[in-house]
Amino acid sequence: MMSMPANPESLYDRLIDAIEQGELGPGDALRESRLAERFGTSRTPVREALRRLEAQGLVTHNAHRGCVVAALDYDQIGELYAAREVMEGSAARGAALHAAPQEIALLRKLVEEGRAMVDRPVELAVINRRFHRVIHRSSHNRYLNQLLDTMRVHMALIEGTTLSLPERGAQSIQEHEDIVEAIAARNPDAAEKATRQHVATAYQNRVSMLLS
């Protein structure tokens, strides 16, 4: 059993992490008593965290199973990627204009870390999420970051990773490198274009997974 503080905010973040990491997937039951035991807390903060998740559309109610992790249908996934392409592109544009040298150095480091894990899709997916978050923060736009955080938690509802497809890991790393070089060159047009193409390619791969 994992222990953690009885803080609804902390519990919310931990549940988001569990969804992102595949510990909890679409359709999984979220029983208050079991979550309280798992996280070493009372049911009250669990209830409050679940209410917040439900308000964001991440949790729904099933007639037979109670509270469950939400699932996205095919059209919702397409809509989410369309929004992601626009917002990720805007973040990369902002990063090309505002990223600090230390942030660019971190992006380059993450590219190299990803290259070392190109054949380990689960670990590579973790680095991939961190890479994109660094770009978000490097845009230095708090309002865009709020929107991207909301989008990120909805992306967590999509099962599996496109990085598990043959050669997608290496392709994704090269795309990341192109994005970083555009940011480092302070070329916002190139950074946005490279990022939007990166997300569009990820969506094409996602469609192939969904229809296989």
Side-chain angles (χ1 to χ4, degrees):
M1 180 181 71
M2 292 178 287
S3 62
M4 64 178 300
N7 180 336
E9 187 75 21
S10 298
L11 207 48
Y12 166 85
D13 291 335
R14 183 61 188 88
L15 287 169
I16 291 293
D17 287 344
I19 293 171
E20 277 196 320
Q21 294 168 18
E23 296 172 23
L24 294 171
D28 284 353
L30 298 170
R31 301 190 185 281
E32 290 180 11
S33 58
R34 291 182 182 176
L35 291 173
E37 180 180 0
R38 174 178 179 175
F39 295 121
T41 185
S42 69
R43 293 175 63 172
T44 298
V46 173
R47 189 176 302 119
E48 292 178 15
L50 290 177
R51 283 175 182 164
R52 183 176 173 188
L53 290 168
E54 184 176 9
Q56 292 183 305
L58 301 172
V59 163
T60 60
H61 281 278
N62 180 285
H64 303 291
R65 305 184 67 205
C67 206
V68 299
V69 178
L72 299 180
D73 62 29
Y74 185 84
D75 287 340
Q76 286 175 306
I77 291 172
E79 293 163 9
L80 188 54
Y81 270 95
R84 184 185 175 200
E85 183 179 330
V86 174
M87 288 194 287
E88 294 274 9
S90 294
R93 169 173 285 274
L97 295 170
H98 305 297
Q102 295 87 343
E103 291 169 329
I104 294 172
L106 177 55
L107 287 170
R108 284 184 164 140
K109 180 174 180 289
L110 289 169
V111 168
E112 292 309 311
E113 288 181 6
R115 205 185 305 279
M117 295 188 179
V118 70
D119 296 321
R120 294 153 63 186
V122 174
E123 291 92 337
L124 183 57
V126 174
I127 293 174
N128 179 70
R129 288 194 293 268
R130 189 177 178 205
F131 176 86
H132 284 281
R133 283 184 209 168
V134 173
I135 291 179
H136 302 168
R137 300 300 182 259
S138 299
S139 72
H140 296 277
N141 184 323
R142 71 190 72 184
Y143 301 106
L144 178 59
N145 269 277
Q146 289 173 2
L147 293 170
L148 285 163
D149 281 344
T150 299
M151 182 192 68
R152 176 179 64 84
V153 296
H154 282 86
M155 287 293 297
L157 295 175
I158 306 176
E159 292 186 280
T161 173
T162 58
L163 298 171
S164 64
L165 294 173
E167 300 184 7
R168 178 54 190 157
Q171 182 186 40
S172 179
I173 291 299
Q174 182 57 56
E175 292 166 6
H176 282 188
E177 186 170 21
D178 293 342
I179 293 167
V180 175
E181 291 312 309
I183 291 172
R186 303 300 183 183
N187 188 331
D189 290 340
E192 179 174 6
K193 181 179 179 180
T195 302
R196 291 187 66 143
Q197 184 58 54
H198 173 60
V199 176
T201 301
Y203 178 53
Q204 291 169 5
N205 281 270
R206 178 64 64 182
V207 169
S208 71
M209 288 179 68
L210 293 170
L211 298 181
S212 62

